[in-house]
Amino acid sequence: MSWSCSSNYLCLSSSSSSSLIDSHELTRINNRCKLSCEYKELRRKDHDTTRPINICAYNGLKPPSHELGKWQRKKDYVLKKPNNISAYYSLKPPPYKFDALEPYMSKRTIEVHWGKHHRGYVESLNKFLEQDDLLYGCTMNELISVTYNNGNPLPEFNVAAQVWNHDFFWESMQPGGGNLPILGLLQQIEKDFGSFTNFREEFIESALTLFGSGWVWLVLKRNEKRLAIVQTTNAITPLVWDDIPLLSLDMWEHAYYLDYKNNKAQYANVFMDHLVSWNAALARMARAQAFVNLGEPKIPVA
Amino acid sequence: MALRTLVSGKTLGALSRLHQQIRGLQTFTLPDLAYDYGALEPAISGEIMQLHHQKHHQTYITNYNKALEQLDDAISKGDASTAVKLQSAIKFNGGGHVNHSIFWKNLAPTREGGGEPPHRSLGWAIDQHFGSMEKLIAKMNTEGAAVQGSGWVWLALDKELKRLVIETTANQDPLVTKGASLVPLLGIDVWEHAYYLQYKNVRPDYLKNIWKVINWKYAGEVYEKECP
């Protein structure tokens, strides 16, 4: 049985058979696996990256029997866990080429926004994690909740949340985006906002009335069991209130200044008309319904 | 007003300002710069100066006037909840107007004294409070670079304690929100619109270069007025 991590981040994967790993250890590996596997250069030198990594070796677990030397007894074989291996967050590229969103979001903007801002956040986050034993190893959601500190954010919050926010933002857009949502999402929007036009107007108004830097979100509120438009400042994300975001629009000036200068209205309209990925929102909504009960399922009559 | 339907969009703005003035409400207009848009090159590009002045500052003024008119309406009608609701718009747009008006005076082209360090009392005060000009600049740049999101970094004089302080404010909050006795001597706009077209995300470079066009003469005048 081979296993692979289904999360967004790269993972340590084992190509050798993991038949000796039982489910308990598998869970532990999967948890560890949520961090990406970007080794620092220094450590990479000690490690042969051409061979597939045998995860068992690094967790003190029993390696597959065929890998043991004949002088090693299967039962008592325990590898000393090397303590110079670490894993950090990596910069995930947007799911489209940089020029795919032209002319609505220029290649230059994505090059700078992703390549400089987003990359800067990832590097700062890794620098923090390197020094902080408590935060290292947390999943992204844990990091964001813990560093948000109930409203008094720690310095790590800004960078951690911005890493997540930007990953989410790139995936909230697609080439050939815009148009209307479909299926259940459209129904839910019409239920909660009256009509799609109302929703669109409210979303854009929210974007234009935001003071300073921030984000505008379409979220599914867990407690109220309905969709809502939420404005947040700086790096704050609806995850800190345990709501489920479906879409986001980056209203920091760096997101639109190169293309639209100070014309926020044009940027927000273009986002709604040509960039927003309703497919991504639909997928997120479908997943969210596993956590939020939006009403009785429609049971077909005969 | 039936008159409004007859006039075009362009004169509507002028009419509403006239309307405000008839009601005794002070309207604000965009102050002129004492230098050309391109005069601060290469520290700040002409394109940024023009956008910053003609678009951003003008928008703050327009929205401030609008908010004031709505506030005046609400007050005269005794509508307390609207009056309170408008406060954030007034703080943001009014603050934007106040801050940017100070900012334009804080800048001067190099050939007109921009970047020349202050002499006399302000120079001594800086040496006394910060040790040296370089230390002051380093501290202000660190604080400016550390501002999360949008804001300003200020060199201020605390009128009561008679000392110089460095403060940061978020968004367009005016300096007085950090202390009623603070008088701004120098303010540096660290909103992204102030530097993005030229410096992209490298705010520290912008902060390093802006000192070449800082108008210390103005800061010195303000300081001497408060601390003769």
Side-chain angles (χ1 to χ4, degrees), chain B residues 199-213:
Chain B
Y199 295 95
K200 306 291 182 313
N201 72 321
V202 196
R203 196 192 279 175
D205 275 357
Y206 159 69
L207 288 171
K208 205 168 50 164
N209 287 331
I210 198 174
W211 292 100
K212 301 188 188 134
V213 289

Side-chain angles (χ1 to χ4, degrees), chain B residues 86-220:
Chain B
L86 286 167
Q87 294 309 311
S88 62
I90 287 180
K91 180 164 144 194
F92 181 68
N93 293 300
H97 169 57
V98 164
N99 293 341
H100 283 89
S101 305
I102 299 174
F103 188 50
W104 306 136
K105 291 194 249 177
N106 282 151
L107 299 172
T110 346
R111 62 171 183 278
E112 286 170 31
E116 226 179 85
H119 307 293
R120 308 206 309 235
S121 49
L122 179 55
W124 300 335
I126 288 177
D127 285 339
Q128 188 186 12
H129 287 122
F130 298 103
S132 68
M133 186 62 139
E134 287 73 35
K135 290 216 189 94
L136 163 68
I137 290 181
K139 189 146 190 277
M140 273 195 86
N141 287 355
T142 320
E143 300 267 332
V147 170
Q148 286 296 331
S150 313
W152 290 73
V153 60
W154 302 93
L155 171 66
L157 165 68
D158 189 327
K159 266 193 300 198
E160 281 165 27
L161 300 178
K162 292 269 186 274
R163 49 176 303 189
L164 295 177
V165 289
I166 294 179
E167 277 292 347
T168 56
T169 50
N171 294 348
Q172 293 294 355
D173 295 351
L175 184 58
V176 293
T177 52
K178 280 288 172 96
S181 59
L182 291 177
V183 174
L185 300 175
L186 278 185
I188 302 182
D189 190 352
V190 291
W191 278 64
E192 282 173 330
H193 63 236
Y195 59 89
Y196 205 72
L197 293 176
Q198 194 179 349
Y199 295 95
K200 306 291 182 313
N201 72 321
V202 196
R203 196 192 279 175
D205 275 357
Y206 159 69
L207 288 171
K208 205 168 50 164
N209 287 331
I210 198 174
W211 292 100
K212 301 188 188 134
V213 289
I214 288 282
N215 185 2
W216 283 108
K217 234 185 326 182
Y218 171 75

